Amino acid sequence: MAASTVRTNLDGKLLNPLTILMIGAGGFIGSHLCEKILQETPHKILALDVYSDKIKHLLEPESLEWAGRIQFHRINIKHDSRLEGLIKMSDLTINLAAICTPADYNTRPLDTIYSNFIDALPVVKYCSENGKRLIHFSTCEVYGKTIGSFLPKDSPLRQDPAYYLLKEDDSPCIFGSIEKQRWSYACAKQLIERLIYAEGAENGLEFTIVRPFNWIGPRMDFIPGIDGPSEGVPRVLACFSNALLRREQLKLVDGGESQRTFVYIKDAIEAVLLMIENPDRANGHIFNVGNPNNEVTVRQLAEMMTAVYANVSGEPALEEPTVDVSSKEFYGEGYDDSDKRIPDMTIINKQLGWNPKTSLWDLLDSTLTYQHKTYAEAIKKVISQPTTS
């Protein structure tokens, strides 16, 4: 679809071009959302981030058809007086900025809390004071543990969806004890959600809150030692990708028994665009965005990724592709986890008519094909270099 095509929303209303301030535009989600907006809509983007590597292809060269519709601003929202001015210039602010890597939650809890709550406060404040709409990205982690996780392991109630299906307007948020600092991220995200909701109730802030359930695809996270710190620990898909690229065993934390769902980034971005262009249907709502049909244990995910990567790379898998490690060994003291995260999709389907389409196998094939093309040669060079004492 050409960007100049006349667009209507779900209610048939003509859409005027928007100016969108995207905070965190240079990250994984931001890069895909920028692509979608520039390629398919007439909207303009003020892209704000401290890094631009993942959107460089959208900024250069200046002869690109959308060159006049994206401006990059290298800003850290912690301490930059330009933030309020950019919010005032925009029709809509989308806040994607966060520390969202589980390895950081209990090793850098202060940074995690400041990034996800304190640093987001000015964004909420300026949007509310200036009458600007806000789409804020939260996390499925705000749900914490399921009610079912507290039932006996042999209880038949564990199979009842009422005990594990996560609903935006109904499910409780259950976290671990305070010394389990892994919950610093979820608590900070929940508190900023409550603040946004209160601003809406008391001061009329127009808001939408997004709770992503494991969005997966090209450009996700980083590969340690290549485009991220050598000692860094990215999220599970990038961790497993890194091991596959290096022909190392995939580490299964506490046996890989936790269950997760995964959704393809391109499906998820369709949902966000619907939120952007249908404010009457999205304002005041919290939306789960995930794919309940793509549910697996982390062990099953490792097995699938091993099979897909062998097909993508043409290299046979290791005889023993996985190894079990404890959460304390992998993440350090203070780690805790949720057993299962399955999103209820009723609200987003009712309000926006959105459903995910891509199977887990297909999204892994797309993602690992990208990872292999992007990183395989670079990793071979790193591995071939002699180590120094």
Side-chain angles (χ1 to χ4, degrees):
M1 183 189 296
S4 59
T5 302
V6 173
R7 292 177 68 81
T8 57
N9 67 13
L10 293 174
D11 297 314
K13 295 179 182 177
L14 283 175
L15 289 168
N16 294 318
L18 300 170
T19 297
I20 301 169
L21 174 63
M22 195 182 303
I23 301 169
F28 163 57
I29 296 173
S31 68
H32 286 276
L33 185 53
C34 283
E35 279 182 347
K36 182 80 171 175
I37 290 169
L38 293 173
Q39 291 171 358
E40 298 187 16
T41 82
H43 308 317
K44 179 180 177 181
I45 301 170
L46 304 178
L48 191 159
D49 211 321
V50 290
Y51 301 109
S52 60
D53 295 3
K54 293 183 180 180
I55 56 170
K56 191 178 290 185
H57 63 295
L58 302 175
L59 303 172
E60 303 168 359
E62 292 185 0
S63 59
L64 290 168
E65 60 180 289
W66 54 70
R69 293 194 294 116
I70 182 168
Q71 298 174 6
F72 180 71
H73 298 262
R74 195 174 301 279
I75 290 177
N76 186 329
I77 62 170
K78 286 182 181 181
H79 41 65
D80 200 298
S81 59
R82 291 173 289 176
L83 177 62
E84 184 174 13
L86 289 168
I87 288 174
K88 286 181 176 179
M89 290 169 57
S90 307
D91 302 300
L92 163 69
T93 294
I94 300 175
N95 190 7
L96 293 154
I99 287 178
C100 52
T101 306
D104 291 329
Y105 302 162
N106 58 305
T107 57
R108 298 171 56 204
L110 285 176
D111 284 344
T112 299
I113 292 166
Y114 271 78
S115 170
N116 292 291
F117 178 66
I118 303 296
D119 295 349
L121 288 175
V123 178
V124 180
K125 177 176 180 284
Y126 295 148
C127 285
S128 185
E129 290 178 348
N130 292 284
K132 300 296 182 177
R133 186 176 169 222
L134 171 66
I135 295 179
H136 182 83
F137 272 69
S138 184
T139 171
C140 61
E141 295 231 1
V142 298
Y143 292 109
K145 302 185 179 191
T146 64
I147 298 172
S149 68
F150 295 92
L151 296 170
K153 294 206 172 189
D154 58 353
S155 171
L157 291 175
R158 278 179 171 260
Q159 305 307 312
D160 185 341
Y163 290 92
Y164 65 80
L165 200 61
L166 301 173
K167 301 181 179 182
E168 302 96 322
D169 57 352
D170 188 48
S171 296
C173 302
I174 307 172
F175 302 145
S177 58
I178 294 299
E179 66 264 22
K180 300 294 187 182
Q181 297 209 81
R182 181 253 192 282
W183 299 109
S184 59
Y185 173 66
C187 286
K189 282 292 195 181
Q190 186 198 137
L191 188 54
I192 199 68
E193 279 197 27
R194 291 190 181 277
L195 181 84
I196 291 167
Y197 197 90
E199 281 286 354
E202 293 191 26
N203 296 322
L205 173 67
E206 293 187 355
F207 72 87
T208 302
I209 292 171
V210 186
R211 290 180 180 167
F213 280 71
N214 298 305
W215 295 10
I216 301 298
R219 301 196 292 272
M220 181 180 179
D221 285 356
F222 61 92
I223 297 298
I226 304 299
D227 56 359
S230 297
E231 69 281 3
V233 182
R235 285 170 288 187
V236 63
L237 186 125
C239 265
F240 285 174
S241 296
N242 183 46
L244 291 167
L245 286 158
R246 296 174 185 272
R247 295 193 61 75
E248 297 172 352
Q249 289 179 304
L250 281 62
K251 294 180 179 180
L252 300 179
V253 176
D254 294 336
E257 296 307 309
S258 296
Q259 292 171 270
R260 296 290 183 267
T261 61
F262 298 89
V263 65
Y264 191 40
I265 183 65
K266 293 189 183 300
D267 289 350
I269 291 304
E270 289 277 0
V272 180
L273 188 57
L274 287 168
M275 296 174 206
I276 290 170
E277 297 190 331
N278 293 274
D280 291 344
R281 291 170 174 253
N283 281 343
H285 285 286
I286 301 171
F287 291 117
N288 289 339
V289 182
N291 189 339
N293 298 318
N294 286 346
E295 183 198 3
V296 287
T297 65
V298 174
R299 180 178 291 278
Q300 290 169 329
L301 176 69
E303 292 167 352
M304 286 184 72
M305 288 183 66
T306 299
V308 170
Y309 190 71
N311 185 54
V312 165
S313 66
E315 300 174 351
L318 298 177
E319 285 188 20
E320 295 184 12
T322 62
V323 60
D324 289 0
V325 297
S326 70
S327 55
K328 182 177 179 181
E329 178 186 352
F330 192 81
Y331 287 118
E333 201 72 52
Y335 189 76
D336 198 8
D337 207 354
S338 55
D339 57 319
K340 190 169 183 167
R341 293 201 203 114
I342 314 297
D344 180 89
M345 307 304 293
T346 304
I347 294 178
I348 194 167
N349 185 260
K350 177 185 175 184
Q351 293 299 121
L352 302 175
W354 180 82
N355 279 303
K357 302 169 189 154
T358 309
S359 70
L360 183 55
W361 185 273
D362 287 344
L363 75 83
L364 289 177
D365 182 72
S366 170
T367 304
L368 290 174
T369 297
Y370 170 86
Q371 300 282 58
H372 182 71
K373 287 181 179 177
T374 306
Y375 296 111
E377 289 305 315
I379 283 183
K380 283 179 183 176
K381 288 179 183 177
V382 169
I383 292 173
S384 67
Q385 292 174 355
T387 57
T388 57
S389 60

